[in-house]
Amino acid sequence: MTIDYPVRRRPKSRPSAAAQDAASKAGVAAGEPVLDVRGLKKRIRRKWIIHEVGFQVHPGEIFGFLGPNGSGKTTTIRMLVDLIKPTEGEILIGGHHLARDPEKALAEVGCIVENPEMYPYLTGWENLEQFARMQPGIGEDRIREVVSIVRLDERIHDKVRDYSLGMRQRLGIAQALLGRPKLLILDEPTNGLDPKGIKELREFIRMLSATGLSLFISSHLLSEIQLMCDRVAIINEGRVLAVGRVDELVGQASSFVLWQTDRQEEARALLADQPSVQLFGDGEHRLDEGALAHLPGAIVTSVDEEALPDVVELLVRRGIGIEAVQRVAPTLEELFLRLTEVEAE
Amino acid sequence: MKGMLPLVQNETLKIWKKKRFYVILLILLVLVPLFTYAQLRVSQTNAANFKDWRNQIQQQITDLQNTLASDRMPEEWKKYDRIKVQQLQYYLDHDINPNSPDAATFTRQFMASSVSMFFPLLILALSSDLVSGERTGGTIKMLLTRPVRRWKILTSKLIALTLYVSLAILATGAVCYLISGLLFGYGGWTMPVFTGFVIDGSAIDATGVHAVPQWAYMLMQSGLIWISCMTIAILSTMVSVLVRSTAASIVTMMAAVISGSILAGMASSWEAAKYIFSVNIDLTDYLEGTPPPIAGMDIGFSLAVLGIWAAAALVVSYGVFTKQDILN
């Protein structure tokens, strides 16, 4: 298991300045990070909001930024796109230093920070024209291209004030793609979308990623990150707790198994006797209430993966009618606990 | 200044599409006919009372002299009336009707009396949400994450604002002239107007007085109006950068302008008030020869005060806008 702790990384592991210059001239070479964040800190009115944030996003990957609300996700994202100046630390985008060379660095990024807010009194097309004029080399054909990528062709000449949230979201993405960025930053992109919209967005993100674009997606939902991302940085209270592959990090937190039978008391006693099963009382587990909604009164356990079929067979042999056995993914809270435990060791 | 033109185009387009300029035109189209009608009634009454405009001016002078003779009037107020008498006498001596009813004169008088309140109001309609509007709308996040330096964004906004301020002054003049001309006739451009009165205590130094054709006078007048409008525009841009809400930015600026005109009316004994920008915005008064609200003010002084306020506002605006963290 590899946990990449940026906090403890030694400076020698960074690429040299000369190597970075060469890479930026040749475009970002394979392996050279598209986004490199080092030792980011932010203090607002004498209070440290961001204590230590560092990670790298590599070309072509979908990078998740996971943390609960108020953990510093949005503040960090705002620092990545030059809306907030970091108190300490540095950000390199496509090899360009954001603080020293913001024009070059920002040309490599497209972003939507929080809600996709556009000028409501302009049409979708006029909005895109506004942003096209802010960068050289973006003509009408490019605008038409991004409009068709986000499939907004039919309504593009309507005023933005008449758009639905989903359409604004798509217009926002069109705006972000306009400058042919290497990196797309989306802050909680599924917020406020209905399930259909969320599904469409996920497909859309995979499609963009297939074109070689790197994506940086923040979310407070573990399941979102699991569904969309290759690697993830987990942030809490202004600190990055871990950076690594999603499957490896999520695997650290054990999943739960819920049992629903026709004789719950008997089943509970039987399960308690098994060494491979750990029972949880009502207040002991950190399960999402939503997960329990379909199985009221279910027995909450964690079971060793390989032992599960045997336990089921045992119940069946005792004549207990199994109505449901369900594996439930760990919550973000559970994951945090595991991560902080690992760090404390 | 490379790449500035498309940015200015953006900002100009935004102000236009927000329909701010339509609002200004609409206000003018409602107000100007109102004042034109009022002016028409005044001329009709005068024409009924006096066969000759000279009699009317003479009557005005006599009235003023009568009040001056009264003991109940404070000395301070008498000063203004004495100057007024001297000016009227000057017009009478040179056989020029200062109230000649024609479109050009109406426009000149309307513009002159609009500097202290009406123009600032129009300017605020354009400038107060220049930056704060982007913040309340959240669009500032899109604007500032594009690869364009922040100072360029602010500069493009100021250039667009300058264009619209100039356009608003031109539009006011044009609307006044066109509407009042329907009733008074479109003449009066070449009528001589006296300027160059130098106020020295309670007396007028008339040695510098000379007649200029009305069109030239109006050109100078418009220039002065432009300067005071630009000062208001720049100050209001600063407030718009500092204050997040557009309503707060309008209220702040209106309070400053109104308090300035109140102070100008009462602060003749508080001399330091002359350093406040809004006491100085009535620049056209110097052209007409109206005594300044506070002793020691002249056109050079007022221009300097406005210039310093505007420069300071620019420094603050650029300083804050380029450095500030966009937290929400």
Side-chain angles (χ1 to χ4, degrees):
Chain A
M1 189 186 302
T2 53
I3 305 177
D4 183 5
Y5 284 109
V7 180
R8 289 165 197 173
R9 174 170 288 172
R10 297 273 82 87
K12 66 179 183 219
S13 68
R14 293 175 189 160
S16 72
Q20 273 169 26
D21 282 349
S24 67
K25 270 176 204 131
V28 179
E32 189 71 28
V34 176
L35 175 65
D36 191 352
V37 179
R38 300 166 184 167
L40 212 56
K41 294 181 183 182
K42 178 67 186 177
R43 187 178 53 198
I44 296 171
R45 285 182 221 101
R46 290 207 215 145
K47 192 166 175 268
W48 288 96
I49 305 289
I50 302 294
H51 297 275
E52 184 73 57
V53 166
F55 52 80
Q56 293 181 331
V57 178
H58 301 296
E61 75 176 348
I62 306 181
F63 189 88
F65 195 46
L66 180 63
N69 293 328
S71 58
K73 284 195 307 283
T74 296
T75 310
T76 305
I77 288 182
R78 281 170 188 255
M79 287 197 274
L80 297 184
V81 292
D82 206 29
L83 287 174
I84 297 179
K85 314 272 184 235
T87 313
E88 275 177 42
E90 50 187 19
I91 298 163
L92 284 114
I93 304 171
H96 302 290
H97 202 288
L98 182 63
R100 284 199 289 269
D101 205 352
E103 276 170 317
K104 276 196 184 135
L106 287 172
E108 311 274 11
V109 206
C111 66
I112 303 179
V113 180
E114 285 177 316
N115 307 315
E117 281 139 335
M118 308 291 256
Y119 300 104
Y121 48 86
L122 300 178
T123 66
W125 183 271
E126 286 169 333
N127 265 292
L128 292 178
E129 276 183 331
Q130 285 271 326
F131 297 108
R133 279 190 212 103
M134 297 181 78
Q135 244 170 308
I138 302 173
E140 202 173 303
D141 44 338
R142 177 63 185 167
I143 300 181
R144 212 170 287 133
E145 204 178 326
V146 292
V147 168
S148 81
I149 291 175
V150 299
R151 296 190 296 274
L152 212 56
D153 316 67
E154 278 175 32
R155 298 285 306 275
I156 196 66
H157 292 291
D158 291 357
K159 288 256 161 67
V160 168
R161 70 163 71 92
D162 300 329
Y163 279 18
S164 68
L165 180 67
M167 291 165 71
R168 279 173 209 222
Q169 185 77 266
R170 279 188 274 165
L171 185 62
I173 293 175
Q175 175 275 134
L177 292 174
L178 209 51
R180 301 180 187 88
K182 293 197 181 85
L183 174 69
L184 189 62
I185 296 178
L186 303 174
D187 187 7
E188 305 259 3
T190 55
N191 257 11
L193 293 181
D194 57 11
K196 183 167 165 278
I198 292 176
K199 192 159 173 284
E200 278 177 7
L201 185 77
R202 270 189 220 126
E203 278 164 19
F204 185 68
I205 284 171
R206 285 193 200 104
M207 182 203 89
L208 287 176
S209 169
T211 65
L213 188 72
S214 306
L215 283 109
F216 180 96
I217 296 167
S218 81
S219 179
H220 63 279
L221 296 170
L222 186 56
S223 57
E224 284 298 330
I225 298 291
Q226 272 178 296
L227 279 168
M228 284 189 282
C229 303
D230 306 318
R231 290 202 313 136
V232 63
I234 298 171
I235 182 173
N236 194 27
E237 289 172 358
R239 248 178 263 273
V240 167
L241 300 177
V243 184
R245 294 198 54 83
V246 172
D247 40 10
E248 286 169 2
L249 277 180
V250 175
Q252 286 180 46
S254 59
S255 56
F256 292 94
V257 178
L258 305 184
W259 303 82
Q260 187 85 312
T261 63
D262 56 357
R263 276 173 288 162
Q264 289 290 72
E265 285 314 307
E266 220 171 302
R268 185 183 292 275
L270 198 60
L271 288 170
D273 285 342
Q274 303 304 310
S276 55
V277 177
Q278 198 192 345
L279 274 177
F280 292 94
D282 269 350
E284 290 167 5
H285 59 78
R286 286 172 296 276
L287 266 180
D288 190 31
E289 283 185 353
L292 285 166
H294 298 294
L295 297 169
I299 305 166
V300 182
T301 64
S302 76
V303 184
D304 292 346
E305 213 163 311
E306 51 282 9
L308 189 57
D310 295 338
V311 178
V312 173
E313 209 189 321
L314 183 71
L315 286 174
V316 173
R317 266 193 276 132
R318 291 292 173 87
I320 296 171
I322 296 176
E323 288 158 2
V325 178
Q326 192 184 340
R327 190 187 290 278
V328 176
T331 57
L332 188 52
E333 213 184 337
E334 173 76 19
L335 186 58
F336 280 152
L337 205 80
R338 293 299 163 119
L339 287 171
T340 36
E341 277 167 8
V342 169
E343 197 164 8
E345 273 162 22
Chain B
M1 286 314 229
K2 194 184 68 166
M4 206 68 217
L5 201 65
L7 296 181
V8 175
Q9 195 186 346
N10 273 354
E11 296 303 330
T12 314
L13 208 69
K14 276 191 257 178
I15 298 178
W16 186 259
K17 292 277 180 176
K18 270 189 278 185
K19 305 214 160 74
R20 283 302 147 77
F21 202 71
Y22 295 165
V23 172
I24 289 183
L25 283 181
L26 205 71
I27 293 173
L28 286 172
L29 288 176
V30 171
L31 284 187
V32 172
L34 214 67
F35 286 110
T36 309
Y37 182 70
Q39 177 66 45
L40 182 71
R41 294 303 296 264
V42 171
S43 331
Q44 279 170 347
T45 323
N46 285 343
N49 291 345
F50 305 98
K51 290 226 166 48
D52 192 350
W53 64 266
R54 289 172 198 82
N55 298 343
Q56 186 204 339
I57 297 287
Q58 192 56 59
Q59 185 61 48
Q60 234 178 315
I61 292 176
T62 322
D63 286 349
L64 282 170
Q65 277 168 340
N66 287 344
T67 29
L68 279 173
S70 148
D71 288 337
R72 281 178 298 183
M73 199 180 185
E75 195 54 36
E76 234 168 66
W77 296 6
K78 283 187 182 170
K79 187 173 80 183
Y80 291 89
D81 285 352
R82 277 198 205 102
I83 294 167
K84 183 91 187 147
V85 168
Q86 278 178 284
Q87 277 177 343
L88 288 173
Q89 192 61 51
Y90 197 91
Y91 279 109
L92 203 57
D93 294 346
H94 289 76
D95 201 27
I96 285 159
N97 182 1
N99 304 317
S100 138
D102 56 58
T105 310
F106 175 81
T107 306
R108 168 172 65 88
Q109 285 171 348
F110 183 85
M111 301 273 276
S113 47
S114 301
V115 202
S116 59
M117 277 299 185
F118 188 59
F119 274 121
L121 197 68
L122 294 187
I123 301 311
L124 290 187
L126 294 168
S127 61
S128 53
D129 69 342
L130 200 62
V131 178
S132 60
E134 303 263 8
R135 302 197 71 172
T136 26
T139 46
I140 192 142
K141 291 179 296 190
M142 303 281 184
L143 197 63
L144 298 186
T145 53
R146 296 293 76 224
V148 176
R149 293 281 185 138
R150 288 191 186 184
W151 68 263
K152 282 191 181 171
I153 303 270
L154 188 59
T155 308
S156 66
K157 281 184 177 293
L158 284 168
I159 293 174
L161 182 59
T162 309
L163 288 176
Y164 277 103
V165 167
S166 316
L167 204 59
I169 296 170
L170 282 177
T172 309
V175 169
C176 267
Y177 181 69
L178 292 175
I179 290 180
S180 64
L182 289 172
L183 295 175
F184 305 133
Y186 292 101
W189 287 110
T190 49
M191 187 190 97
V193 180
F194 290 105
T195 185
F197 299 99
V198 176
I199 285 129
D200 182 18
S202 61
I204 285 195
D205 177 6
T207 47
V209 172
H210 54 282
V212 292
Q214 186 144 265
W215 63 266
Y217 184 94
M218 285 171 77
L219 218 56
M220 293 191 275
Q221 188 189 36
S222 304
L224 292 175
I225 292 175
W226 188 83
I227 290 171
S228 73
C229 283
M230 277 313 293
T231 312
I232 302 274
I234 288 168
L235 281 163
S236 127
T237 305
M238 177 189 74
V239 174
S240 181
V241 169
L242 296 177
V243 179
R244 258 170 228 162
S245 115
T246 303
S249 115
I250 295 179
V251 169
T252 312
M253 277 311 290
M254 263 337 270
V257 169
I258 292 172
S259 62
S261 77
I262 295 173
L263 272 175
M266 61 184 272
S268 52
S269 34
W270 175 33
E271 213 182 302
K274 67 183 178 185
Y275 297 107
I276 296 170
F277 82 91
S278 44
V279 174
N280 288 285
I281 55 175
D282 229 342
L283 288 175
T284 52
D285 275 0
Y286 296 113
L287 218 52
E288 286 161 34
T290 316
I294 298 166
M297 287 167 65
D298 59 29
I299 188 154
F301 175 85
S302 285
L303 287 175
V305 168
L306 293 183
I308 290 165
W309 275 84
L314 282 177
V315 169
V316 173
S317 302
Y318 275 96
V320 173
F321 190 75
T322 51
K323 298 246 157 54
Q324 106 191 120
D325 285 342
I326 310 296
L327 295 167
N328 62 347

Short mmCIF file of all heavy atoms in Angstrom, two decimals, chain A residues 112 116 150-152 163-174 189 191-194 196-198 200-201:
data_model
loop_
_atom_site.label_atom_id
_atom_site.label_comp_id
_atom_site.label_asym_id
_atom_site.label_seq_id
_atom_site.Cartn_x
_atom_site.Cartn_y
_atom_site.Cartn_z
N ILE A 112 -14.47 26.03 -13.48
CA ILE A 112 -15.74 26.52 -12.96
C ILE A 112 -15.58 26.50 -11.45
O ILE A 112 -15.38 25.44 -10.86
CB ILE A 112 -16.93 25.64 -13.34
CG1 ILE A 112 -17.02 25.50 -14.86
CG2 ILE A 112 -18.22 26.23 -12.80
CD1 ILE A 112 -18.16 24.61 -15.29
N PRO A 116 -21.67 27.80 -11.96
CA PRO A 116 -21.29 28.34 -13.26
C PRO A 116 -22.03 29.65 -13.51
O PRO A 116 -23.12 29.66 -14.07
CB PRO A 116 -21.74 27.26 -14.24
CG PRO A 116 -22.82 26.53 -13.53
CD PRO A 116 -22.62 26.70 -12.07
N VAL A 150 -20.56 20.51 -25.83
CA VAL A 150 -21.47 20.45 -24.66
C VAL A 150 -22.93 20.31 -25.09
O VAL A 150 -23.83 20.36 -24.25
CB VAL A 150 -21.31 21.68 -23.74
CG1 VAL A 150 -19.90 21.75 -23.18
CG2 VAL A 150 -21.66 22.97 -24.46
N ARG A 151 -23.15 20.14 -26.40
CA ARG A 151 -24.50 19.92 -26.95
C ARG A 151 -25.48 21.01 -26.51
O ARG A 151 -26.51 20.75 -25.92
CB ARG A 151 -25.04 18.55 -26.55
CG ARG A 151 -24.22 17.41 -27.13
CD ARG A 151 -24.91 16.10 -26.93
NE ARG A 151 -25.06 15.75 -25.54
CZ ARG A 151 -24.12 15.11 -24.82
NH1 ARG A 151 -22.99 14.76 -25.38
NH2 ARG A 151 -24.34 14.82 -23.58
N LEU A 152 -25.11 22.25 -26.80
CA LEU A 152 -25.97 23.37 -26.43
C LEU A 152 -26.42 24.12 -27.69
O LEU A 152 -26.93 25.23 -27.60
CB LEU A 152 -25.19 24.30 -25.49
CG LEU A 152 -25.96 25.07 -24.41
CD1 LEU A 152 -26.75 24.12 -23.54
CD2 LEU A 152 -25.00 25.89 -23.56
N TYR A 163 -31.84 30.00 -18.89
CA TYR A 163 -31.27 28.65 -18.90
C TYR A 163 -31.60 27.90 -17.60
O TYR A 163 -31.71 28.51 -16.54
CB TYR A 163 -29.74 28.72 -19.01
CG TYR A 163 -29.20 28.94 -20.41
CD1 TYR A 163 -30.01 29.42 -21.42
CD2 TYR A 163 -27.89 28.66 -20.70
CE1 TYR A 163 -29.50 29.63 -22.68
CE2 TYR A 163 -27.36 28.87 -21.97
CZ TYR A 163 -28.18 29.36 -22.95
OH TYR A 163 -27.66 29.57 -24.20
N SER A 164 -31.69 26.58 -17.69
CA SER A 164 -31.79 25.76 -16.48
C SER A 164 -30.39 25.60 -15.90
O SER A 164 -29.40 25.92 -16.55
CB SER A 164 -32.35 24.39 -16.83
OG SER A 164 -31.41 23.67 -17.61
N LEU A 165 -30.32 25.07 -14.66
CA LEU A 165 -29.02 24.91 -14.02
C LEU A 165 -28.11 23.99 -14.85
O LEU A 165 -26.93 24.26 -15.03
CB LEU A 165 -29.18 24.35 -12.60
CG LEU A 165 -27.85 24.16 -11.87
CD1 LEU A 165 -27.18 25.47 -11.58
CD2 LEU A 165 -28.03 23.38 -10.58
N GLY A 166 -28.72 22.91 -15.38
CA GLY A 166 -27.94 21.97 -16.19
C GLY A 166 -27.34 22.65 -17.41
O GLY A 166 -26.18 22.41 -17.77
N MET A 167 -28.13 23.54 -18.03
CA MET A 167 -27.63 24.25 -19.22
C MET A 167 -26.55 25.24 -18.85
O MET A 167 -25.57 25.41 -19.58
CB MET A 167 -28.79 24.96 -19.92
CG MET A 167 -29.75 24.00 -20.57
SD MET A 167 -31.28 24.82 -20.98
CE MET A 167 -30.75 25.85 -22.32
N ARG A 168 -26.73 25.90 -17.69
CA ARG A 168 -25.67 26.82 -17.24
C ARG A 168 -24.38 26.07 -17.00
O ARG A 168 -23.29 26.54 -17.31
CB ARG A 168 -26.09 27.51 -15.95
CG ARG A 168 -27.00 28.67 -16.19
CD ARG A 168 -27.53 29.21 -14.89
NE ARG A 168 -28.84 29.79 -15.16
CZ ARG A 168 -29.25 30.93 -14.65
NH1 ARG A 168 -28.49 31.59 -13.83
NH2 ARG A 168 -30.42 31.40 -14.95
N GLN A 169 -24.54 24.87 -16.38
CA GLN A 169 -23.38 24.03 -16.12
C GLN A 169 -22.65 23.73 -17.43
O GLN A 169 -21.44 23.84 -17.53
CB GLN A 169 -23.88 22.74 -15.46
CG GLN A 169 -22.82 21.78 -15.02
CD GLN A 169 -22.18 22.22 -13.73
OE1 GLN A 169 -21.16 22.90 -13.76
NE2 GLN A 169 -22.77 21.89 -12.60
N ARG A 170 -23.42 23.37 -18.46
CA ARG A 170 -22.80 23.03 -19.74
C ARG A 170 -22.16 24.25 -20.39
O ARG A 170 -21.09 24.15 -20.97
CB ARG A 170 -23.85 22.40 -20.67
CG ARG A 170 -24.06 20.93 -20.34
CD ARG A 170 -24.93 20.26 -21.34
NE ARG A 170 -26.33 20.42 -21.00
CZ ARG A 170 -27.34 20.18 -21.85
NH1 ARG A 170 -27.08 19.80 -23.07
NH2 ARG A 170 -28.58 20.33 -21.45
N LEU A 171 -22.83 25.40 -20.25
CA LEU A 171 -22.25 26.62 -20.79
C LEU A 171 -20.94 26.94 -20.07
O LEU A 171 -19.96 27.39 -20.68
CB LEU A 171 -23.24 27.78 -20.66
CG LEU A 171 -22.80 29.10 -21.30
CD1 LEU A 171 -22.61 28.94 -22.80
CD2 LEU A 171 -23.79 30.21 -21.01
N GLY A 172 -20.96 26.70 -18.74
CA GLY A 172 -19.75 26.92 -17.95
C GLY A 172 -18.61 26.06 -18.45
O GLY A 172 -17.47 26.51 -18.58
N ILE A 173 -18.92 24.79 -18.74
CA ILE A 173 -17.88 23.88 -19.23
C ILE A 173 -17.41 24.34 -20.61
O ILE A 173 -16.21 24.33 -20.91
CB ILE A 173 -18.40 22.43 -19.26
CG1 ILE A 173 -18.63 21.95 -17.82
CG2 ILE A 173 -17.40 21.52 -19.95
CD1 ILE A 173 -19.26 20.59 -17.71
N ALA A 174 -18.35 24.79 -21.44
CA ALA A 174 -17.97 25.30 -22.77
C ALA A 174 -16.99 26.45 -22.61
O ALA A 174 -15.96 26.52 -23.30
CB ALA A 174 -19.22 25.77 -23.53
N PRO A 189 -18.97 19.67 -9.30
CA PRO A 189 -19.77 19.83 -10.53
C PRO A 189 -21.16 19.21 -10.45
O PRO A 189 -22.04 19.61 -11.20
CB PRO A 189 -18.92 19.14 -11.60
CG PRO A 189 -18.06 18.19 -10.86
CD PRO A 189 -17.81 18.80 -9.52
N ASN A 191 -23.19 19.29 -7.89
CA ASN A 191 -24.08 20.00 -6.97
C ASN A 191 -25.32 20.54 -7.67
O ASN A 191 -25.22 21.25 -8.66
CB ASN A 191 -23.34 21.18 -6.35
CG ASN A 191 -22.92 20.88 -4.93
OD1 ASN A 191 -23.01 19.74 -4.50
ND2 ASN A 191 -22.49 21.90 -4.22
N GLY A 192 -26.48 20.22 -7.13
CA GLY A 192 -27.70 20.82 -7.65
C GLY A 192 -28.25 20.14 -8.90
O GLY A 192 -29.31 20.52 -9.37
N LEU A 193 -27.51 19.17 -9.46
CA LEU A 193 -28.02 18.50 -10.66
C LEU A 193 -28.91 17.32 -10.26
O LEU A 193 -28.71 16.70 -9.22
CB LEU A 193 -26.86 17.97 -11.51
CG LEU A 193 -25.95 19.02 -12.16
CD1 LEU A 193 -24.87 18.32 -12.97
CD2 LEU A 193 -26.74 19.97 -13.02
N ASP A 194 -29.88 17.01 -11.12
CA ASP A 194 -30.73 15.85 -10.83
C ASP A 194 -29.97 14.58 -11.27
O ASP A 194 -28.96 14.66 -11.96
CB ASP A 194 -32.09 15.99 -11.53
CG ASP A 194 -31.95 16.18 -13.02
OD1 ASP A 194 -30.83 15.98 -13.53
OD2 ASP A 194 -32.94 16.51 -13.67
N LYS A 196 -30.29 12.38 -13.47
CA LYS A 196 -30.04 12.26 -14.91
C LYS A 196 -28.89 13.18 -15.32
O LYS A 196 -27.99 12.79 -16.07
CB LYS A 196 -31.32 12.63 -15.67
CG LYS A 196 -31.22 12.48 -17.17
CD LYS A 196 -32.59 12.57 -17.81
CE LYS A 196 -32.52 12.77 -19.30
NZ LYS A 196 -32.30 14.17 -19.69
N GLY A 197 -28.93 14.41 -14.78
CA GLY A 197 -27.88 15.38 -15.09
C GLY A 197 -26.53 14.90 -14.58
O GLY A 197 -25.50 15.08 -15.25
N ILE A 198 -26.54 14.28 -13.38
CA ILE A 198 -25.29 13.78 -12.81
C ILE A 198 -24.71 12.67 -13.69
O ILE A 198 -23.52 12.65 -13.98
CB ILE A 198 -25.53 13.26 -11.37
CG1 ILE A 198 -25.88 14.45 -10.45
CG2 ILE A 198 -24.32 12.52 -10.84
CD1 ILE A 198 -26.22 14.07 -9.04
N GLU A 200 -25.22 12.20 -16.89
CA GLU A 200 -24.72 12.81 -18.12
C GLU A 200 -23.36 13.45 -17.90
O GLU A 200 -22.46 13.33 -18.72
CB GLU A 200 -25.70 13.88 -18.62
CG GLU A 200 -26.85 13.33 -19.41
CD GLU A 200 -27.83 14.43 -19.80
OE1 GLU A 200 -27.53 15.63 -19.57
OE2 GLU A 200 -28.89 14.09 -20.32
N LEU A 201 -23.25 14.14 -16.75
CA LEU A 201 -22.00 14.83 -16.46
C LEU A 201 -20.85 13.83 -16.34
O LEU A 201 -19.76 14.06 -16.86
CB LEU A 201 -22.16 15.63 -15.17
CG LEU A 201 -20.95 16.50 -14.83
CD1 LEU A 201 -20.92 17.74 -15.70
CD2 LEU A 201 -20.93 16.88 -13.36
#
